[in-house]
Amino acid sequence: MNLLNLSYFKAADFEEIFQLADNFFIAESNSYKQDPILADKKLLNLFFEPSTRTKLSFEVAASNLGMTIFNLDEISSSLTKGESLEDTIEVASNIGIDACVIRHKDSVIHDLADRFPDMVFINAGESSVAHPSQALLDLFTIRQSFDDLSKLSYLVVGDLDHSRVLASFLEGLSIVGAEKISLCSPAELGKRYSDHPNFEEDLNSALVGKDVVMALRIQHERLDSALSISGEEYISKFQLNHRRLLDAIGGDQFILMHPGPVNYGIELHSDVRNQAYCKINNQVRNGVGIRMAILTKALLS
Ligand code: CP
């Protein structure tokens, strides 16, 4: 089974992944256990864009499951000598690789999945289109704080246009039946969602009544030209800080998330990082459990 996007998932499929991750969790150490049920399987990580948490957590997840892990990148592989990605996968298949985890700036994974039906493909970030394993760990993290994801009120703030995390998160929220979703950004970073019924530029009003707030960084590497909004104005209007969150939302029932990497001082003030509502470290930890669950489901079903 491949994980290309969430479009073919139902809420029950999410729950199956979440329960698998729950089963790998050790509460006493707040970590995920070693369970070598995939000791006969080989994983190839193919990351053609930078990554820290996705790449590392797939490696730790695969290691916890007893898999043997291999890494290839554009510079050190024969891709640099002109070999195609298709031929690279064919080589991997003949060498005995069972699954490929791929991050790429283009949507290459779908053609590869069609061309190599006996290989398992897992999407670890596709252009600005999809990041399904991130959405699953985000939903899993929310599920650790709230019982019914469909009833919650969500806000995503930041660079909406370039975010594959947001694209997959919205797909996931739709599958769990969530309807109260708001988006906030400067107009120039929210063109893709300008028709969204709850798109707004006023962060203070957008925050009111929210249960889950997710911040996104500005993806400067994907911008075609410089932003017209200055750094100072962005921070003043769109930065989430402790005071702003408490003044607008109040109480202690909401949670704050960020898929990372975080640019503290820009989209988040560092005064949020040690607050109980801040679940960023939980997201990172849960990346291991959810990716263990994804690998298990992909390779054993
Ligand atoms: N959230 C995420 O994809 O982070 P990395 O780029 O560090 O993998």
Side-chain angles (χ1 to χ4, degrees):
M1 190 205 90
N2 296 323
L3 177 62
L4 303 183
N5 55 50
L6 299 182
S7 63
Y8 45 90
F9 277 74
K10 297 190 168 45
D13 301 318
F14 285 173
E15 200 47 41
E16 189 188 338
I17 297 258
F18 297 159
Q19 281 175 15
L20 269 171
D22 281 339
N23 291 342
F24 290 127
F25 187 61
I26 310 169
E28 300 78 55
S29 58
N30 196 17
S31 64
Y32 289 90
K33 67 183 173 191
Q34 307 222 340
D35 191 354
I37 52 176
L38 297 179
D40 59 339
K41 304 290 186 193
K42 297 181 182 63
L43 180 78
L44 177 61
N45 265 332
L46 286 159
F47 278 68
F48 299 109
E49 287 189 322
S51 170
T52 296
R53 66 222 78 220
T54 309
K55 183 166 182 286
L56 203 48
S57 61
F58 264 116
E59 288 188 31
V60 172
S63 163
N64 284 350
L65 294 166
M67 298 181 77
T68 312
I69 303 146
F70 303 88
N71 287 283
L72 269 190
D73 59 45
E74 210 152 7
I75 305 298
S76 60
S77 72
S78 287
L79 285 156
T80 198
K81 295 185 259 181
E83 188 163 46
S84 69
L85 187 51
E86 288 75 10
D87 288 348
T88 305
I89 301 293
E90 187 159 38
V91 170
S93 174
N94 283 313
I95 280 174
I97 297 293
D98 299 288
C100 291
V101 174
I102 300 184
R103 171 171 289 193
H104 203 284
K105 67 177 176 47
D106 298 315
S107 295
V108 296
I109 196 167
H110 306 279
D111 285 346
L112 294 174
D114 287 345
R115 173 110 187 256
F116 300 98
D118 294 332
M119 178 72 78
V120 166
F121 288 95
I122 297 172
N123 188 341
E126 171 195 352
S127 183
S128 298
V129 175
H131 195 349
S133 66
Q134 178 72 44
L136 287 168
L137 76 87
D138 290 339
L139 294 171
F140 183 70
T141 302
I142 297 165
R143 175 180 170 273
Q144 290 176 329
S145 292
F146 298 101
D147 290 333
D148 187 347
L149 274 57
S150 72
K151 299 251 180 344
L152 303 176
S153 195
Y154 299 84
L155 172 67
V156 183
V157 53
D159 180 356
L160 310 176
D161 277 343
H162 302 101
S163 180
R164 55 193 172 208
V165 171
L166 174 60
S168 286
F169 188 54
L170 290 176
E171 202 167 24
L173 288 180
S174 158
I175 291 165
V176 301
E179 293 177 345
K180 292 182 276 183
I181 303 160
S182 297
L183 303 175
C184 178
S185 79
E188 60 184 317
L189 289 174
K191 296 189 197 89
R192 190 171 164 187
Y193 297 99
S194 57
D195 292 338
H196 189 280
N198 301 316
F199 174 84
E200 56 181 306
E201 292 186 56
D202 183 335
L203 177 56
N204 293 333
S205 81
L207 280 167
V208 174
K210 296 300 181 287
D211 302 298
V212 177
V213 179
M214 181 186 286
L216 301 171
R217 77 181 172 96
I218 301 174
Q219 298 193 32
H220 290 283
E221 71 277 19
R222 296 190 204 277
L223 292 176
D224 293 329
S225 54
L227 293 173
S228 60
I229 189 168
S230 70
E232 292 73 25
E233 188 183 358
Y234 189 86
I235 289 165
S236 151
K237 290 186 174 168
F238 297 99
Q239 184 184 78
L240 290 162
N241 59 49
H242 185 59
R243 189 75 266 148
R244 177 172 249 159
L245 285 162
L246 290 199
D247 286 350
I249 307 181
D252 56 3
Q253 295 304 305
F254 72 94
I255 63 170
L256 173 66
M257 302 171 69
H258 191 307
V262 183
N263 292 133
Y264 284 104
I266 310 292
E267 70 270 17
L268 291 183
H269 193 287
S270 58
D271 66 2
V272 302
R273 63 190 303 167
N274 294 320
Q275 304 295 336
Y277 56 70
C278 182
K279 303 299 179 188
I280 296 171
N281 286 337
N282 302 58
Q283 288 173 272
V284 173
R285 264 193 300 274
N286 289 334
V288 173
I290 283 294
R291 288 171 175 130
M292 287 177 74
I294 289 167
L295 290 168
T296 301
K297 192 163 161 54
L299 285 157
L300 291 186
S301 56

